[in-house]
Amino acid sequence: MNIAVLIKMVPDTESRLEIVDGKVKEDAFKYMVNPYDEFAVEQAVQFKESVGGKVTLVCLFSDNPGIDTDLRKMMAIGADEAVVLRQEGYRGDKPSTNSKILAEAIKELNADLVIGGVQGIDYYQGATGPMVAHHLNIPHISGVTKLELNGEKITAKRQIEGGLQIIESTLPVLVTAQKDMTKVRFPALKDIMMSKRKSFENRSVSASEENDVETIECSLPPARDGGLIIDGESPEEKVDKLLEKLKMEAKVL
Amino acid sequence: MSSILVIGEADGKEIKNISQQVSAVAAGMGDVVGLVMGKNISDAGMKLATAKIILADDDKLEYYDPVKFTSVVSQIVEQNNITKILMGATTMGKDLGPRIAAELRWGYLGDCLEAGSEGFVRPAFAGKVLARSNPEGSVVVSIRNNAYPAGESWSGSVENFSGNIPDSTTNTISIEKGGSGTVELTEANIVVSGGRGLENPENYDEHIRPLASVLNAAAGASRAIVDAGWVSHSHQVGQTGKTVTPDLYFAIGISGAIQHLGGMSGSKCIVAINKDPDAPIFKVADYGIIANLFDIVPVLKSKLSN
Ligand SMILES: Cc1cc2nc3c(=O)[nH]c(=O)nc-3n(C[C@H](O)[C@H](O)[C@H](O)COP(=O)(O)OP(=O)(O)OC[C@H]3O[C@@H](n4cnc5c(N)ncnc54)[C@H](O)[C@@H]3O)c2cc1C
């Protein structure tokens, strides 16, 4: 079974967000593997371990080599190879452009299953997965909390409002992972050593299509000031004052 | 003249409130056509607050399926000279929107906080940055719950979809309901969240769930207690959980790490209960109580029950 895993590199969650001239200042960003994508890697490796096959990581990013170590960590989990698509001017907020490029690379892999994370924790559009599936002309199932492989079929549990949608699909299909899908293992030292010898291909690519919406201005949301600390002699008094405020001042009760 | 398509969602015999919110936004932007897809959705679909309503009521559409739904939508887009598609940022909207955008080669804007003829604002970096755009081309847009008031239903013209519904290689077997009476986090007007300050999972069940239930609220959680296995990930609020924008958010025994704030700082009113006066949650809270949560929450619950 050939499995392709979509990996997005996203700014570290502790990154300082500063706006200069309506744009987010990005030059000091450090990048990490999108946390949802790690669940996808783990799931792909588990399937490979049970039925055999190959797991290929496909990552689209800029020329910045600073991400290689983190990608190697994903290989230590058990992925077999990585194809890193290097695009000048890559941006994480262009799902239409990016999905087209990713789909081109995945076509060559003859993947039975494509797995990615449900969304990038940079722009939260959750768009790349469904768009890649469209370009590959295969169905997709997003936000999956449990994925089972039975022969030529998969069964997925997809989180929806108030419950789970249980979906069966033939292969090939694209699935995006929610956090509960797997528990990501800590690779053993020997796997970390081994990962250094695995195939890691850098390939330059360029964008062919532009349907993405251009952002004209970024801003920081109005800062929330620390509010009112409610004093009182006793828990009763504090709660009474709080309820009074919620009803009369904030009008939310 | 070009029109705007609103994709509504039925919830039993009712139309979802978020769909009415989206209809109201669309009404301010031009001519609106509504579409509701599903099985036995006609009663609900007719309540959608748009002048013209198209119902795609078919056995084949019983469960949401991106391939089938995208096909229906693109046929309607072609027949009605549509240039914008708006829908709620529900689990369906967030899944369907990008697929439609790819099919039509349009732009996509997910989870917008503002939408109108002057453009769109969507959050980036878990709401820590707001990105404004004003696309000239056609776009598919999903809009976050609670960003706008709902529109009122009125009797518009109703048509039935008569196009073709393709087969799909995915098949929904069933829907598993997640515990009766639980309010969905992203749709709730009030969210009560608990964190590590609760000390153990039993206290979550004893303090957070009952308080949520008294308030008809959804129960949320910090990642610390999700990782500890006290509650499932579907409760997690934050950068790697759900983003919620209720009218009222309670953070109980939650420190207010930046990743948690990302998921809830868009709430209209935030209440924090924490024993540490320096907890960062107080920097975003509208009302704070510095105290032991075990002293406060039972009193709060009993006063609210009366
Ligand atoms: C990549 C990444 C993604 C993340 N995503 C998320 C996310 O989506 N959501 C999220 O929540 N976190 C996320 N985190 C984790 C985040 O950094 C924090 O670790 C987490 O939010 C802490 O949870 P907590 O507030 O429950 O626990 P703690 O930080 O341990 O805080 C517990 C609080 O309870 C208070 N307390 C203790 N006892 C009492 C008492 N008796 N009465 C009153 N108060 C009491 C303490 O004063 C303290 O402030 C993420 C982290 C990373 C690195």
Side-chain angles (χ1 to χ4, degrees):
Chain A
M1 177 157 174
N2 288 335
I3 308 175
V5 182
L6 298 167
I7 305 276
K8 186 176 198 181
M9 302 305 295
V10 296
D12 191 295
T13 51
E14 305 280 348
S15 297
R16 233 174 75 84
L17 294 164
E18 199 184 327
I19 309 272
V20 180
D21 295 332
K23 288 200 164 64
V24 177
K25 206 161 166 277
E26 298 181 350
D27 34 336
F29 278 1
K30 286 202 174 55
Y31 289 86
M32 63 180 210
V33 172
N34 182 41
Y36 292 105
D37 303 355
E38 296 191 16
F39 304 114
V41 176
E42 174 67 41
Q43 183 68 76
V45 170
Q46 286 180 16
F47 284 160
K48 183 194 83 164
E49 285 167 350
S50 77
V51 299
K54 189 166 83 175
V55 174
T56 308
L57 308 180
V58 182
C59 174
L60 171 63
F61 200 61
S62 66
D63 287 328
N64 178 349
I67 62 167
D68 298 8
T69 322
D70 277 10
L71 281 173
R72 289 273 181 203
K73 280 187 202 147
M74 295 297 106
M75 302 178 83
I77 291 175
D80 299 285
E81 54 178 32
V83 176
V84 187
L85 308 167
R86 302 286 188 171
Q87 183 206 357
E88 213 186 302
Y90 162 82
R91 289 199 51 85
D93 60 356
K94 294 192 174 302
S96 301
T97 307
N98 298 347
S99 61
K100 192 95 196 190
I101 299 173
L102 287 163
E104 286 307 316
I106 292 168
K107 270 178 198 159
E108 293 171 21
L109 299 172
N110 274 321
D112 303 293
L113 180 63
V114 183
I115 318 187
V118 64
Q119 60 188 1
I121 63 159
D122 45 2
Y123 296 102
Y124 288 87
Q125 299 242 74
T128 305
M131 287 180 172
V132 167
H134 170 81
H135 294 308
L136 295 173
N137 203 15
I138 60 175
H140 76 267
I141 307 171
S142 72
V144 172
T145 54
K146 193 166 174 42
L147 190 63
E148 274 167 18
L149 177 68
N150 7 47
E152 297 288 289
K153 276 192 173 170
I154 54 139
T155 307
K157 293 192 173 181
R158 168 171 188 265
Q159 228 175 53
I160 59 171
E161 286 81 8
L164 293 168
Q165 184 179 9
I166 320 293
I167 306 171
E168 213 174 61
S169 176
T170 54
L171 302 175
V173 62
L174 182 145
V175 171
T176 68
Q178 257 299 352
K179 181 175 175 182
D180 279 347
M181 188 190 257
T182 50
K183 256 207 152 53
V184 181
R185 74 190 71 180
F186 291 102
L189 188 60
K190 112 178 148 5
D191 296 319
I192 296 172
M193 299 311 289
M194 274 244 295
S195 74
K196 300 202 171 105
R197 294 204 297 268
K198 289 179 175 172
S199 157
F200 190 103
E201 182 197 345
N202 282 297
R203 198 186 289 174
S204 356
V205 292
S206 53
S208 59
E209 194 180 309
E210 271 288 349
N211 294 317
D212 289 296
V213 176
E214 204 72 46
T215 294
I216 48 180
E217 192 185 21
C218 286
S219 59
L220 299 177
R224 284 192 96 107
D225 317 329
L228 179 74
I229 296 295
I230 294 180
D231 290 323
E233 297 295 317
S234 62
E236 280 74 21
E237 195 185 331
K238 287 180 184 171
V239 169
D240 283 338
K241 281 190 186 168
L242 173 67
L243 291 175
E244 167 87 15
K245 292 282 179 198
L246 293 178
K247 281 178 192 146
M248 306 314 287
E249 200 174 78
K251 300 195 167 63
V252 288
L253 274 187
Chain B
M1 219 190 97
S2 68
S3 316
I4 299 154
L5 180 69
V6 167
I7 301 179
E9 283 178 63
D11 186 1
K13 290 256 171 277
E14 292 304 314
I15 193 84
K16 283 195 174 179
N17 187 268
I18 170 80
S19 305
Q20 301 297 57
Q21 296 167 23
V22 175
S23 300
V25 171
M29 298 169 76
D31 274 354
V32 186
V33 178
L35 166 67
V36 180
M37 295 171 275
K39 179 186 170 183
N40 297 336
I41 46 76
S42 294
D43 288 352
M46 287 204 277
K47 295 179 183 157
L48 189 66
T50 58
K52 173 175 170 182
I53 298 168
I54 302 176
L55 300 173
D57 194 337
D58 195 293
D59 286 355
K60 282 183 165 178
L61 300 174
E62 178 169 7
Y63 300 109
Y64 167 62
D65 178 308
V67 171
K68 291 179 189 170
F69 280 44
T70 298
S71 165
V72 171
V73 172
S74 48
Q75 293 172 56
I76 286 169
V77 165
E78 214 169 278
Q79 290 153 10
N80 290 273
N81 195 20
I82 306 283
T83 53
K84 281 192 182 72
I85 302 178
L86 267 54
M87 63 192 98
T90 57
T91 58
M92 175 180 117
K94 288 199 266 191
D95 184 276
L96 179 62
R99 184 109 194 182
I100 296 174
E103 162 89 19
L104 299 173
R105 299 171 175 239
W106 290 7
Y108 176 68
L109 290 165
D111 211 14
C112 290
L113 303 169
E114 277 179 40
S117 34
E118 277 86 62
F120 302 90
V121 174
R122 64 173 312 277
F125 304 101
K128 287 180 263 177
V129 171
L130 303 175
R132 177 176 291 279
S133 59
N134 195 357
E136 281 169 18
S138 300
V139 274
V140 180
V141 178
S142 65
I143 298 173
R144 184 179 289 183
N145 190 32
N146 230 355
Y148 287 94
E152 298 282 339
S153 23
W154 50 313
S155 43
S157 71
V158 178
E159 243 174 58
N160 286 308
F161 172 73
S162 57
N164 140 65
I165 300 167
D167 290 326
S168 164
T169 49
T170 64
N171 203 350
T172 295
I173 304 168
S174 63
I175 303 285
E176 257 176 34
K177 292 256 185 259
S180 60
T182 48
V183 183
E184 172 63 27
L185 261 182
T186 51
E187 293 181 351
N189 291 325
I190 304 179
V191 173
V192 179
S193 288
R196 187 142 53 193
L198 287 160
E199 289 169 4
N200 59 47
E202 292 74 33
N203 285 332
Y204 186 89
D205 292 340
E206 192 181 323
H207 294 284
I208 300 300
R209 289 190 205 274
L211 182 59
S213 133
V214 167
L215 287 162
N216 193 25
S222 71
R223 170 164 157 184
I225 73 167
V226 170
D227 284 355
W230 299 3
V231 293
S232 77
H233 176 59
S234 59
H235 292 273
Q236 185 179 319
V237 172
Q239 195 157 3
T240 47
K242 288 180 177 158
T243 303
V244 297
T245 45
D247 292 335
L248 178 56
Y249 187 90
F250 284 92
I252 300 174
I254 291 179
S255 59
I258 186 143
Q259 297 90 353
H260 188 82
L261 301 184
M264 45 64 81
S265 54
S267 306
K268 295 211 174 85
C269 178
I270 298 171
V271 173
I273 303 171
N274 196 304
K275 67 178 181 189
D276 174 8
D278 296 323
I281 192 73
F282 288 123
K283 294 210 180 77
V284 301
D286 298 279
Y287 303 109
I289 294 183
I290 302 168
N292 186 336
L293 72 92
F294 299 109
D295 293 337
I296 300 292
V297 177
V299 179
L300 185 58
K301 192 185 70 192
S302 83
K303 292 203 187 260
L304 284 166
S305 319
N306 295 331

Short mmCIF file of all heavy atoms in Angstrom, two decimals, chain B residues 222-243:
data_model
loop_
_atom_site.label_atom_id
_atom_site.label_comp_id
_atom_site.label_asym_id
_atom_site.label_seq_id
_atom_site.Cartn_x
_atom_site.Cartn_y
_atom_site.Cartn_z
N SER B 222 -9.22 22.57 28.55
CA SER B 222 -7.88 22.95 28.09
C SER B 222 -7.20 21.70 27.55
O SER B 222 -7.63 20.57 27.82
CB SER B 222 -7.06 23.51 29.24
OG SER B 222 -6.72 22.45 30.13
N ARG B 223 -6.14 21.92 26.83
CA ARG B 223 -5.43 20.77 26.28
C ARG B 223 -4.81 19.91 27.37
O ARG B 223 -4.71 18.68 27.24
CB ARG B 223 -4.34 21.24 25.32
CG ARG B 223 -3.43 20.13 24.90
CD ARG B 223 -2.62 20.51 23.70
NE ARG B 223 -1.42 19.69 23.63
CZ ARG B 223 -0.49 19.86 22.70
NH1 ARG B 223 -0.61 20.80 21.79
NH2 ARG B 223 0.57 19.09 22.69
N ALA B 224 -4.40 20.56 28.46
CA ALA B 224 -3.74 19.80 29.52
C ALA B 224 -4.61 18.62 29.96
O ALA B 224 -4.13 17.51 30.15
CB ALA B 224 -3.44 20.72 30.70
N ILE B 225 -5.91 18.85 30.10
CA ILE B 225 -6.75 17.77 30.61
C ILE B 225 -7.22 16.83 29.50
O ILE B 225 -7.60 15.70 29.76
CB ILE B 225 -7.94 18.29 31.47
CG1 ILE B 225 -9.02 18.96 30.63
CG2 ILE B 225 -7.45 19.23 32.55
CD1 ILE B 225 -10.31 19.19 31.44
N VAL B 226 -7.16 17.30 28.25
CA VAL B 226 -7.44 16.40 27.14
C VAL B 226 -6.26 15.41 27.01
O VAL B 226 -6.45 14.21 26.90
CB VAL B 226 -7.64 17.18 25.82
CG1 VAL B 226 -7.67 16.24 24.62
CG2 VAL B 226 -8.93 18.00 25.89
N ASP B 227 -5.05 15.98 27.08
CA ASP B 227 -3.86 15.12 26.98
C ASP B 227 -3.80 14.13 28.14
O ASP B 227 -3.31 13.02 27.99
CB ASP B 227 -2.59 15.97 26.96
CG ASP B 227 -2.37 16.64 25.61
OD1 ASP B 227 -3.16 16.34 24.69
OD2 ASP B 227 -1.45 17.45 25.48
N ALA B 228 -4.32 14.56 29.28
CA ALA B 228 -4.30 13.66 30.44
C ALA B 228 -5.40 12.60 30.34
O ALA B 228 -5.49 11.72 31.19
CB ALA B 228 -4.47 14.47 31.72
N GLY B 229 -6.23 12.73 29.32
CA GLY B 229 -7.25 11.70 29.10
C GLY B 229 -8.53 11.88 29.91
O GLY B 229 -9.36 10.99 29.96
N TRP B 230 -8.71 13.05 30.53
CA TRP B 230 -9.93 13.25 31.34
C TRP B 230 -11.16 13.36 30.46
O TRP B 230 -12.23 12.88 30.81
CB TRP B 230 -9.84 14.53 32.18
CG TRP B 230 -8.72 14.58 33.17
CD1 TRP B 230 -7.74 13.64 33.37
CD2 TRP B 230 -8.47 15.64 34.09
NE1 TRP B 230 -6.90 14.06 34.35
CE2 TRP B 230 -7.32 15.28 34.82
CE3 TRP B 230 -9.09 16.85 34.36
CZ2 TRP B 230 -6.79 16.09 35.80
CZ3 TRP B 230 -8.57 17.66 35.34
CH2 TRP B 230 -7.42 17.28 36.06
N VAL B 231 -10.99 14.08 29.32
CA VAL B 231 -12.11 14.26 28.39
C VAL B 231 -11.56 14.10 26.98
O VAL B 231 -10.36 14.18 26.77
CB VAL B 231 -12.78 15.66 28.53
CG1 VAL B 231 -13.47 15.83 29.85
CG2 VAL B 231 -11.75 16.77 28.32
N SER B 232 -12.48 13.88 26.01
CA SER B 232 -12.00 13.62 24.66
C SER B 232 -11.64 14.94 23.97
O SER B 232 -12.04 16.03 24.40
CB SER B 232 -13.07 12.90 23.84
OG SER B 232 -14.06 13.81 23.45
N HIS B 233 -10.88 14.79 22.90
CA HIS B 233 -10.39 15.96 22.17
C HIS B 233 -11.52 16.84 21.64
O HIS B 233 -11.32 18.03 21.42
CB HIS B 233 -9.49 15.51 21.03
CG HIS B 233 -9.01 16.63 20.17
ND1 HIS B 233 -8.28 17.68 20.67
CD2 HIS B 233 -9.20 16.91 18.86
CE1 HIS B 233 -8.01 18.53 19.70
NE2 HIS B 233 -8.57 18.09 18.59
N SER B 234 -12.70 16.26 21.47
CA SER B 234 -13.79 17.08 20.93
C SER B 234 -14.17 18.21 21.89
O SER B 234 -14.86 19.14 21.52
CB SER B 234 -15.01 16.21 20.62
OG SER B 234 -15.44 15.56 21.79
N HIS B 235 -13.69 18.15 23.13
CA HIS B 235 -13.95 19.23 24.10
C HIS B 235 -12.87 20.31 24.07
O HIS B 235 -13.02 21.35 24.71
CB HIS B 235 -14.00 18.66 25.53
CG HIS B 235 -15.18 17.77 25.79
ND1 HIS B 235 -16.39 18.27 26.20
CD2 HIS B 235 -15.33 16.44 25.69
CE1 HIS B 235 -17.24 17.26 26.34
NE2 HIS B 235 -16.62 16.14 26.04
N GLN B 236 -11.76 20.05 23.40
CA GLN B 236 -10.63 20.97 23.54
C GLN B 236 -10.84 22.30 22.84
O GLN B 236 -11.19 22.37 21.67
CB GLN B 236 -9.36 20.31 22.99
CG GLN B 236 -8.11 21.19 23.23
CD GLN B 236 -6.86 20.52 22.71
OE1 GLN B 236 -6.68 19.31 22.87
NE2 GLN B 236 -5.98 21.28 22.08
N VAL B 237 -10.58 23.36 23.58
CA VAL B 237 -10.66 24.71 23.04
C VAL B 237 -9.23 25.22 22.88
O VAL B 237 -8.42 25.06 23.78
CB VAL B 237 -11.43 25.63 24.01
CG1 VAL B 237 -11.35 27.08 23.57
CG2 VAL B 237 -12.88 25.18 24.12
N GLY B 238 -8.94 25.83 21.74
CA GLY B 238 -7.62 26.40 21.58
C GLY B 238 -7.05 26.19 20.20
O GLY B 238 -7.73 25.72 19.30
N GLN B 239 -5.78 26.54 20.11
CA GLN B 239 -5.13 26.55 18.80
C GLN B 239 -5.14 25.18 18.13
O GLN B 239 -5.21 25.09 16.93
CB GLN B 239 -3.70 27.05 18.97
CG GLN B 239 -3.06 27.44 17.66
CD GLN B 239 -1.93 28.43 17.85
OE1 GLN B 239 -1.58 28.80 18.96
NE2 GLN B 239 -1.35 28.86 16.74
N THR B 240 -5.05 24.12 18.91
CA THR B 240 -5.13 22.79 18.30
C THR B 240 -6.44 22.11 18.71
O THR B 240 -6.54 20.90 18.69
CB THR B 240 -3.91 21.92 18.68
OG1 THR B 240 -3.72 22.02 20.09
CG2 THR B 240 -2.68 22.39 17.97
N GLY B 241 -7.42 22.90 19.08
CA GLY B 241 -8.74 22.37 19.38
C GLY B 241 -9.76 23.20 18.62
O GLY B 241 -9.51 23.60 17.49
N LYS B 242 -10.87 23.48 19.27
CA LYS B 242 -11.90 24.25 18.59
C LYS B 242 -11.79 25.74 18.90
O LYS B 242 -11.31 26.12 19.96
CB LYS B 242 -13.28 23.74 19.02
CG LYS B 242 -13.55 22.38 18.42
CD LYS B 242 -14.88 21.81 18.80
CE LYS B 242 -15.06 20.49 18.07
NZ LYS B 242 -16.04 19.63 18.72
N THR B 243 -12.23 26.54 17.96
CA THR B 243 -12.31 27.97 18.19
C THR B 243 -13.75 28.26 18.53
O THR B 243 -14.65 27.88 17.80
CB THR B 243 -11.92 28.73 16.92
OG1 THR B 243 -10.63 28.32 16.55
CG2 THR B 243 -11.92 30.23 17.16
#
